[in-house]
Amino acid sequence: MLAALRSVVVRDLTLALRQRSDVMTTLFFFVIVVSLFPLGVGPELDKLRPLAAGVVWVAALLASMLSLGRVFAHDYTDGTLEQLLVSPQPLSLLVLGKIIAHWIVSGVPLVVMAPLLGLQYDLWGRPLAVLVLSLLLGTPVLSAIGAVGAALTLGLRGASVLVALLVLPLYVPVLIFGAGAVDAAASGIDIEGHLSLLGAFLLVSLALAPWAAALALRVSME
């Protein structure tokens, strides 16, 4: 089963490398949103610093949603998804591999860019480190929840809008505690509660989302 999981991850990463424009679109959107926001608010660091966590997290959430349509769409159009459904390996395991690949392609670049973008808002030291850590814990949750939404809307007209309606309410707790951890670090408050909840969200999503997405795929393909 580990070999099957690894094969799915490697395959999706290989396809993503062949379509670099899709990957760069997500990253550019994230960078542009975070970078343009100070132009609207003003250059005063006292105003920007309290907004940093919320702006970065909202931009990461929206950027992650841009790539949700590609989680299963290519496999659906070329017939690969049908082969996955009849595979002897558990479908939930194969879906987990696709979630991991989606996070590597769309989530890891956001985590890597977050420190540079945080400097625009005068984030330094502990708050900046907590921002990176919260994104590292939270972005896999976004990919896992998004995979369920993508599976439910697979093949439907206007799927991108439906995915947004389905997953945005589920993204809200991750957004609240992710941004809250950074604000707590900047205020000198204990951050263990926020990060513990993000870790709990991560474990629960990795345990339940592949199973739910696999069930939704079977329903969508019928």
Side-chain angles (χ1 to χ4, degrees):
M1 288 193 296
L2 292 178
L5 177 65
R6 183 171 59 253
S7 298
V8 171
V9 173
V10 172
R11 175 185 177 275
D12 282 15
L13 292 179
T14 303
L15 293 176
L17 290 176
R18 294 176 180 175
Q19 300 173 341
R20 295 184 181 89
S21 59
D22 294 339
V23 179
M24 298 307 296
T25 299
T26 301
L27 182 59
F28 283 155
F29 178 85
F30 176 65
V31 173
I32 289 173
V33 171
V34 177
S35 300
L36 289 180
F37 198 86
L39 299 179
V41 177
E44 294 83 3
L45 295 179
D46 292 338
K47 292 182 179 180
L48 293 175
R49 196 179 299 112
L51 301 175
V55 172
V56 173
W57 258 100
V58 169
L61 185 152
L62 296 176
S64 177
M65 288 184 57
L66 286 178
S67 58
L68 290 181
R70 300 193 299 270
V71 178
F72 302 111
H74 294 307
D75 293 339
Y76 177 73
T77 56
D78 64 11
T80 303
L81 188 56
E82 297 178 356
Q83 300 300 318
L84 295 179
L85 290 175
V86 299
S87 171
Q89 303 298 335
L91 182 59
S92 58
L93 180 70
L94 304 179
V95 171
L96 177 60
K98 300 188 73 65
I99 292 173
I100 294 173
H102 177 268
W103 175 70
I104 293 174
V105 171
S106 65
V108 171
L110 307 186
V111 177
V112 173
M113 287 298 299
L116 296 177
L117 299 176
L119 295 176
Q120 299 183 52
Y121 294 81
D122 197 36
L123 281 184
W124 294 88
R126 187 167 180 257
L128 187 60
V130 173
L131 174 64
V132 176
L133 181 58
S134 65
L135 287 172
L136 192 61
L137 292 173
T139 48
V141 181
L142 302 181
S143 295
I145 296 175
V148 179
L152 286 171
T153 59
L154 185 65
L156 298 180
R157 182 178 300 176
S160 58
V161 178
L162 294 175
V163 168
L165 294 176
L166 287 173
V167 304
L168 274 178
L170 301 176
Y171 280 175
V172 172
V174 183
L175 172 65
I176 292 175
F177 291 108
V182 183
D183 292 335
S187 303
I189 305 175
D190 184 23
I191 63 172
E192 291 184 2
H194 295 84
L195 295 181
S196 297
L197 285 170
L198 285 177
F201 291 153
L202 176 59
L203 293 177
V204 172
S205 63
L206 291 180
L208 298 181
W211 174 82
L215 180 62
L217 285 176
R218 295 188 183 279
V219 173
S220 299
M221 293 297 293
E222 290 179 357

